[in-house]
Amino acid sequence: MLRMSYMPSDFHPILLVLGTPEQLLILADALEAFSQKGGKAVLNDAGVFSTDTRVTLEEIDLEGERNPGLWQVEKGATDLVWRLPKNYAWIFSNEVANLANSGEPAGSVTLECDVLSEIRVKVSIGEWEEDYLTDDFR
């Protein structure tokens, strides 16, 4: 099962996404679909499981007032909004697909928009226990 969870931290908060190579392609496909359609999409509805985190993709224009990147909807919340221009979503889709198709037993990519204080997305295969981020592990 492809799974994710927000890991808050004072210094380096992350959204951790874990799965097998085949499962990571679900995330790559969701990002690619968003890169084509834009608008809004919810990763949880695309097949990314979480017991405590909800991530909404939201299309933005880089010339707008809001910064791109992953942000908490409100302080202390585990609901996150990932504001991306469509071309960023396409790039991130390719990075995840390249990881999934690499044939490596373990590895990760970090998805970020290089904006101060944004939450980074760490997508990983083979680096964590199979049931990490599930209710059974917690």
Side-chain angles (χ1 to χ4, degrees), residues 21-112:
E22 297 79 21
Q23 293 164 346
L24 291 186
L25 291 175
I26 294 169
L27 176 60
D29 290 345
L31 288 166
E32 183 176 0
F34 179 79
S35 77
Q36 294 169 0
K37 297 177 190 170
K40 284 190 177 186
V42 178
L43 284 183
N44 306 67
D45 296 342
V48 186
F49 173 79
S50 181
T51 61
D52 60 3
T53 304
R54 179 177 171 87
V55 177
T56 302
L57 294 168
E58 182 180 290
E59 180 185 358
I60 65 162
D61 180 354
L62 287 177
E63 303 302 320
E65 295 179 15
R66 294 188 150 177
N67 284 329
L70 183 64
W71 308 95
Q72 286 179 300
V73 171
E74 60 185 43
K75 188 172 174 107
T78 58
D79 283 355
L80 307 174
V81 60
W82 201 0
R83 297 184 187 110
L84 297 173
K86 292 193 293 187
N87 65 319
Y88 281 36
W90 182 82
I91 291 166
F92 291 166
S93 171
N94 284 306
E95 289 186 37
V96 173
N98 288 341
L99 173 64
N101 293 320
S102 70
E104 296 295 326
S108 65
V109 294
T110 301
L111 309 176
E112 60 185 310

Side-chain angles (χ1 to χ4, degrees), residues 1-14:
M1 155 185 14
L2 181 61
R3 55 216 181 276
M4 70 178 168
S5 186
Y6 172 55
M7 313 288 251
S9 168
D10 289 341
F11 301 106
H12 301 290
I14 64 167

